[in-house]
Amino acid sequence: MKPDLTELWKQFCVDDNVKAFEGFYYAMFNKLVKFCVYYTANQEAAEEIVSEIFVKCWNNRKNLSSVERPVTYVFVAVKNQSLKHNKKHGAVHMVEIDSAEEHHFADLSSDPSTIVERKELQQQLDRAIDTLPMQARVVFRLIKEGGLKYKEVAELMNISHRTVQTHLFRSIAKLREVLKPRGVPPAKDSNQMSDKLMNIIMFTAILKFIYIFYETCRQFKL
């Protein structure tokens, strides 16, 4: 079960709960470093920037208790600090967010063949994601792996809510096309793998459609 990051944030800001701070730190550190590398193209600099942000969060925790979206807050803080870093060093970097070796399906079975199949599925999906345009790829990974909502990604990347939606649905359509079997009909195992990948993508699409419908209803007070 994923930790409630908003609750952890409140606990360490209001109650000075060190364990809550550690929980938030461990849940977000790697994601923030990877996002920071997108701007700095430097792993060491990214780790220093993210560590500095966490130190500031702890030192200023009493002033941050009113933050309603802590995940978005730390992403934006890392982005701003990354841009300051680049300005100071006279360079601007925009590189790929690569996660082929880190993002994988949970090992729900100890069966070696099942584990290998899951790794193959993830590798194939990662390769397909890498074919997406840069901004679409970042949007996809922030939502899929960062756990951010549409509005949070829009705020973070300085693009509209509708642009985020467009990127996501175009990404899903592109992934479906890339993962579609071509030419000679594939073997039975290949068909099964493709079907599983399609199921993953379609499940993601359905969830996002439900979210859009819910947000639309809220906006128009239906």
Side-chain angles (χ1 to χ4, degrees):
M1 182 179 295
K2 293 183 178 180
D4 186 335
L5 298 179
T6 300
E7 182 60 29
L8 290 177
W9 180 273
K10 290 181 180 178
Q11 288 177 10
F12 80 74
C13 285
V14 177
D15 302 327
D16 299 330
N17 189 321
V18 176
K19 287 193 175 296
F21 177 77
E22 290 176 349
F24 189 90
Y25 172 89
Y26 286 119
M28 294 300 302
F29 184 81
N30 288 335
K31 295 177 182 179
L32 291 170
V33 168
K34 186 173 299 181
F35 179 70
C36 189
V37 169
Y38 168 66
Y39 286 96
T40 64
N42 186 307
Q43 180 74 20
E44 184 176 352
E47 292 178 356
E48 290 179 358
I49 288 171
V50 173
S51 296
E52 181 182 344
I53 293 298
F54 274 109
V55 170
K56 289 181 178 179
C57 285
W58 177 256
N59 290 338
N60 299 319
R61 59 190 181 281
K62 293 304 181 183
N63 297 323
L64 299 176
S65 58
S66 61
V67 172
E68 296 181 354
R69 294 181 294 169
V71 173
T72 303
Y73 177 86
V74 291
F75 266 110
V76 172
V78 168
K79 176 185 175 181
N80 291 340
Q81 193 62 31
S82 299
L83 295 177
K84 290 180 181 179
H85 170 86
N86 289 340
K87 185 177 181 180
K88 180 179 179 180
H89 292 82
V92 177
H93 302 283
M94 299 294 276
V95 301
E96 297 182 0
I97 294 182
D98 186 10
S99 59
E101 69 235 61
E102 289 189 31
H103 300 296
H104 49 80
F105 296 114
D107 289 331
L108 301 178
S109 170
S110 58
D111 178 33
S113 61
T114 302
I115 295 174
V116 170
E117 183 181 86
R118 289 199 190 101
K119 289 182 178 179
E120 290 176 351
L121 284 170
Q122 185 62 57
Q123 289 172 359
Q124 188 172 348
L125 182 58
D126 282 332
R127 286 194 295 270
I129 292 172
D130 286 341
T131 67
L132 298 172
M134 176 60 69
Q135 193 172 63
R137 188 185 316 157
V138 175
V139 168
F140 187 89
R141 291 204 181 280
L142 285 174
I143 293 174
K144 171 181 172 289
E145 294 156 5
L148 272 66
K149 297 179 180 180
Y150 281 46
K151 290 183 178 180
E152 294 172 330
V153 174
E155 178 182 342
L156 181 62
M157 299 187 66
N158 294 322
I159 57 180
S160 70
H161 183 272
R162 184 174 296 276
T163 299
V164 173
Q165 294 177 7
T166 300
H167 276 313
L168 185 65
F169 283 112
R170 285 181 178 176
S171 296
I172 292 172
K174 178 71 178 293
L175 292 177
R176 284 184 60 87
E177 184 65 25
V178 170
L179 295 171
K180 184 187 302 180
R182 300 177 184 276
V184 179
K188 181 180 179 181
D189 289 345
S190 297
N191 271 326
Q192 291 176 345
M193 182 175 292
S194 179
D195 288 343
K196 290 178 181 179
L197 285 166
M198 290 302 105
N199 288 338
I200 293 171
I201 294 171
M202 288 305 299
F203 181 68
T204 302
I206 291 170
L207 289 178
K208 296 308 172 185
F209 176 80
I210 293 173
Y211 175 79
I212 291 172
F213 178 77
Y214 172 74
E215 287 295 313
T216 301
C217 288
R218 288 185 59 191
Q219 291 173 6
F220 288 95
K221 299 181 179 180
L222 295 180

